[in-house]
Amino acid sequence: MAKRNVDSEVLYTEVAKLLTDLKQCVVLTGAGISAESGIPTFRSLGGLWEKYDPAVYASIEVFRKDPSKYWILRGDFIRNYDSYQPNNAHLALAGLEQMGIVRCVITQNIDGLHKKADSKHVIEVHGSLREIYCLACGKEYRVPHIPGGTPPYCSCGGVLKPNTVLFGEQLPRDALTKAQEESAWCKIMLLVGTSAVVQPAASLLFLAKQNGAQIIEINIEKVFPDADYFIMKKAGIALPMIVEEIKKIPIL
Ligand code: APR
């Protein structure tokens, strides 16, 4: 059972002390950390999967037959990629990395906001919308220089696909391997804004737990029953509060 599952000042002080004492923190983030940047989540109330069936709009099998479905789902998000900005949660994690407390961020998000927040060690296990490739000739395109059309086609006639992992696709091997190594090594896993239901990303949490890591969950709903600490608050509020508590701890 979670040792502490109330959102109180004491909790923030305890979590700040734990992070400062142990350091070796790895973060696993999901769509919830980007909600305050105006990006919809998938399974929260009003989430993307309430409107679109992922088996139709986000599966590689369907993409191969009818790539317009994925571009109907993601076209606007891709073309407006540069307009999305990191929020205080992303910035707080970049700050914790600079403090030597966070070693890396493993994200399921494809929005690139951790890198925009200047986190240096980011593992994008589901890829990113930043890069778009022609499936025929491999030519790389970058937003905003994407041809029009749903779906857009390469000058060679091939269809374009973002460098994101669709359902039914393998995760990038090097990213998954690195994420597994980091999860097995860490002493603390900070779980932020994820329903932790999609594999293999969700298994990283259990890998950390079985290797003795303390699990600190930040979410607006309780997801992981075995968390050692649970902060029920928006990530954009909770993470800056943790950073402020850490700054109060005297450096010996
Ligand atoms: N702060 C913290 N947590 C939040 C916030 C917020 N402001 N807003 C929402 N949440 C939480 C929700 O309570 C939910 O538990 O974020 C979580 C989002 O869960 P999902 O929508 O399932 O997103 P995610 O866990 O990232 O999904 C994993 O599923 O469909 C695939 O590829 C997709 O990468 C995605 C994967």
Side-chain angles (χ1 to χ4, degrees):
M1 268 306 284
K3 290 176 193 152
R4 309 279 302 172
N5 62 356
V6 291
D7 173 19
S8 69
E9 289 311 312
V10 170
L11 179 64
Y12 286 99
T13 308
E14 278 184 46
V15 164
K17 187 166 183 330
L18 188 73
L19 285 163
T20 310
D21 290 349
L22 295 185
K23 295 188 173 57
Q24 286 188 233
C25 173
V26 165
V27 191
L28 176 62
T29 67
I33 199 170
S34 297
E36 292 154 87
S37 293
I39 299 174
T41 61
F42 297 97
R43 296 172 187 81
S44 310
L45 200 62
L48 218 47
W49 296 154
E50 276 182 17
K51 304 178 191 83
Y52 295 93
D53 178 355
V56 174
Y57 287 89
S59 93
I60 189 60
E61 188 186 349
V62 170
F63 187 95
R64 289 198 180 102
K65 294 174 202 151
D66 178 3
S68 69
K69 289 283 189 292
Y70 185 77
W71 282 93
I72 288 167
L73 173 75
R74 286 305 195 185
D76 290 346
F77 189 20
I78 292 168
R79 297 181 195 280
N80 296 313
Y81 176 85
D82 290 335
S83 67
Y84 289 100
Q85 295 306 317
N87 64 57
N88 289 334
H90 300 98
L91 297 171
L93 289 181
L96 288 174
E97 183 186 57
Q98 285 159 4
M99 292 174 178
I101 290 171
V102 161
R103 174 164 148 125
C104 79
V105 175
I106 301 165
T107 188
Q108 301 169 87
N109 300 339
I110 57 177
D111 55 34
L113 292 185
H114 287 296
K115 291 190 174 181
K116 286 186 182 178
D118 211 22
S119 280
K120 303 295 184 208
H121 300 99
V122 182
I123 304 173
E124 295 172 323
V125 291
H126 289 166
S128 161
L129 293 173
R130 204 174 27 250
E131 304 88 19
I132 317 271
Y133 292 104
C134 169
L135 293 188
C137 71
K139 181 179 175 184
E140 181 180 337
Y141 290 77
R142 289 259 175 152
V143 290
H145 310 296
I146 309 290
T150 302
Y153 287 93
C154 174
S155 45
C156 82
V159 72
L160 300 189
K161 176 183 174 294
N163 181 29
T164 54
V165 178
L166 272 60
F167 285 103
E169 279 192 291
Q170 297 291 320
L171 274 62
R173 182 179 304 283
D174 53 341
L176 182 57
T177 304
K178 183 83 177 120
Q180 288 165 335
E181 289 167 357
E182 294 289 353
S183 302
W185 166 88
C186 67
K187 288 185 176 167
I188 300 176
M189 177 167 273
L190 200 45
L191 187 68
V192 186
T194 180
S195 59
V197 293
V198 173
Q199 295 300 350
S203 65
L204 299 169
L205 166 61
F206 298 93
L207 187 54
K209 185 72 183 171
Q210 75 191 30
N211 283 287
Q214 298 272 308
I215 308 296
I216 302 168
E217 179 178 17
I218 297 175
N219 199 315
I220 55 173
E221 63 177 356
K222 186 132 188 65
V223 163
F224 186 54
D226 294 339
D228 297 285
Y229 294 85
F230 171 57
I231 298 178
M232 188 170 194
K233 196 173 277 294
K234 287 185 174 183
I237 298 170
L239 281 165
M241 285 177 72
I242 291 170
V243 171
E244 286 315 304
E245 283 303 312
I246 289 174
K247 287 178 179 172
K248 293 176 192 168
I249 297 173
I251 300 171
L252 302 175

